[in-house]
Amino acid sequence: EETHRQPFPSCCIASPVERSVQLQELLARPLALAIEQEQLELAYQPIIELESGRVIAAEVLCRWDDPVLGRQSPADFIDVAEATAQISSLGRWVMERALEALHRWDVAGLQLAKICVNVSPLQVQDPTWSSDLLMALERHQLTPGRIVLELTEGSILEMSNHVANQLRDLRRQGFELAMDDFGTGYSGLQRLTELPFSEVKIDRSLISAIDYDQLQQAMLSAVIRLSDATGIMVVVEGVERSRQRQMLLTLGCRHGQGYQLSAPLSDLELEALLQSQITPAA
Ligand code: C2E
Ligand code: MG
Ligand code: MG
Ligand code: MG
């Protein structure tokens, strides 16, 4: 199900820069139409407590299946949205739908503690973004502590002071902040201290061989010790094999996300999963 159509054959692509220009030319207008006509969809990938298997949160992932072009990868169309200034309207739509869903699940008595939303600094740059977010939160009767804002390690490198201050402000108001794709940039641990992160998501490349690679095991152990000392929660991304899951538990890693735990789900599928693990009130 989770396969994306390649927009053009790889023989046409000379360089990453050229590819991104071609993607823009091909996708910019159809994407604008898809946003306007609300043809995007959301998938929800559970974040799991490894010990118990319980869903502790869900990450919202944007999906676009264009009637003509086919299903597109978020890595591609989010890039295009950022390059063509459509990320604000796309991000606004994603946030609105995510908060609406969380409210609906609250009303239905489903117990989902948190929802995690990917955010581009370009959205935060928009002067009305954070006041709109606060209004949407109120409209859906949610508290800031229910929302995790995920920012990729790479995007933090390019962040302006204005954006960083907006995020600090939201953190003070109770929103959670997660550093996404940790370990993919050149930034190092120092980045973790620049914003008041409550969570770090370890990129799947750092745990791809965690079940047998001693260097990966040593690195993850160090990150877990660091996070225990600082109170920052660690979530490991891309858990694909049960042996990885076993080793993660052995290393003291408590939370994970990945195909072995659960693929990204439709809202109905997530609802069924949450329904199956409701604990009766004492
Ligand atoms: P991300 O935030 O790091 O999200 C996790 C990605 O890993 C998702 O890819 C998910 O489908 C994939 N994944 C989950 N489990 C596994 C696994 O076990 N193995 C492997 N190989 N992959 C796994 P997806 O949905 O293609 O999204 C790619 C990226 O696009 C996201 O990475 C995020 O950075 C961005 N993105 C997606 N939706 C949005 C959005 O609404 N707004 C923004 N700004 N970015 C978004
Ligand atoms: Mg993410
Ligand atoms: Mg990630
Ligand atoms: Mg990513």
Side-chain angles (χ1 to χ4, degrees):
E1 7 89 284
E2 288 273 313
T3 50
H4 309 294
R5 187 179 298 178
Q6 278 296 100
F8 24 72
S10 51
C11 60
C12 306
I13 301 156
S15 71
V17 174
E18 193 161 322
R19 179 167 194 275
S20 113
V21 170
Q22 286 176 327
L23 276 172
Q24 263 183 60
E25 282 172 2
L26 189 73
L27 299 184
R29 294 178 58 132
L31 180 61
L33 206 65
I35 296 171
E36 193 191 301
Q37 302 187 339
E38 302 201 43
Q39 284 164 354
L40 303 177
E41 277 174 42
L42 298 184
Y44 303 89
Q45 189 173 31
I47 295 168
I48 304 286
E49 186 182 55
L50 294 172
E51 184 86 49
S52 64
R54 287 183 61 85
V55 179
I56 54 161
E59 177 173 11
V60 176
L61 297 165
C62 194
R63 295 288 177 262
W64 176 27
D65 193 356
D66 186 81
V68 178
L69 300 169
R71 183 175 274 277
Q72 300 298 313
S73 158
D76 289 340
F77 71 79
I78 295 293
D79 250 20
V80 172
E82 288 182 333
T84 57
Q86 303 189 63
I87 193 68
S88 272
S89 51
L90 185 153
R92 199 176 291 272
W93 182 85
V94 168
M95 185 66 81
E96 175 62 27
R97 291 294 303 273
L99 299 186
E100 189 183 285
L102 189 55
H103 173 66
R104 197 171 66 241
W105 296 330
D106 281 355
V107 170
L110 301 172
Q111 297 163 350
L112 184 67
K114 285 173 196 180
I115 201 140
C116 315
V117 184
N118 293 290
V119 169
S120 155
L122 291 171
Q123 287 171 259
V124 185
Q125 192 76 43
D126 185 329
T128 63
W129 182 76
S130 79
S131 55
D132 288 350
L133 171 59
L134 290 166
M135 280 194 296
L137 207 66
E138 206 174 290
R139 202 158 7 93
H140 296 296
Q141 299 158 37
L142 297 166
T143 51
R146 308 283 303 283
I147 316 298
V148 182
L149 305 171
E150 295 194 1
L151 293 127
T152 63
E153 189 189 45
S155 77
I156 294 158
L157 270 169
E158 298 150 24
M159 197 174 281
S160 68
N161 279 332
H162 170 73
V163 169
N165 285 329
Q166 292 284 94
L167 293 170
R168 285 188 193 103
D169 206 48
L170 290 170
R171 179 78 188 105
R172 273 194 294 273
Q173 298 190 50
F175 287 86
E176 305 267 338
L177 285 186
M179 183 190 276
D180 202 349
D181 300 350
F182 179 78
T184 53
Y186 303 99
S187 46
L189 292 174
Q190 188 232 339
R191 288 285 151 197
L192 265 179
T193 64
E194 285 177 15
L195 284 174
F197 287 104
S198 45
E199 183 180 322
V200 50
K201 299 187 80 172
I202 312 289
D203 192 73
R204 64 187 154 90
S205 60
L206 265 70
I207 64 124
S208 56
I210 197 75
D211 39 350
Y212 52 88
D213 183 317
Q214 294 188 349
L215 185 58
Q216 286 197 352
Q217 292 166 6
M219 288 201 296
L220 187 65
S221 292
V223 174
I224 287 168
R225 268 201 307 281
L226 185 81
S227 85
D228 285 347
T230 54
I232 296 177
M233 172 174 153
V234 170
V235 175
V236 165
E237 301 191 281
V239 183
E240 294 178 344
R241 298 183 298 279
S242 57
R243 284 187 178 178
Q244 285 174 303
R245 182 186 189 166
Q246 278 314 315
M247 182 52 74
L248 290 168
L249 276 168
T250 305
L251 296 173
C253 181
R254 290 191 285 273
H255 309 104
Q257 183 177 350
Y259 299 151
Q260 200 270 330
L261 303 163
S262 168
L265 303 175
S266 71
D267 51 355
L268 291 179
E269 289 168 329
L270 181 68
E271 283 164 26
L273 180 61
L274 293 172
Q275 193 72 50
S276 74
Q277 61 165 43
I278 286 181
T279 49

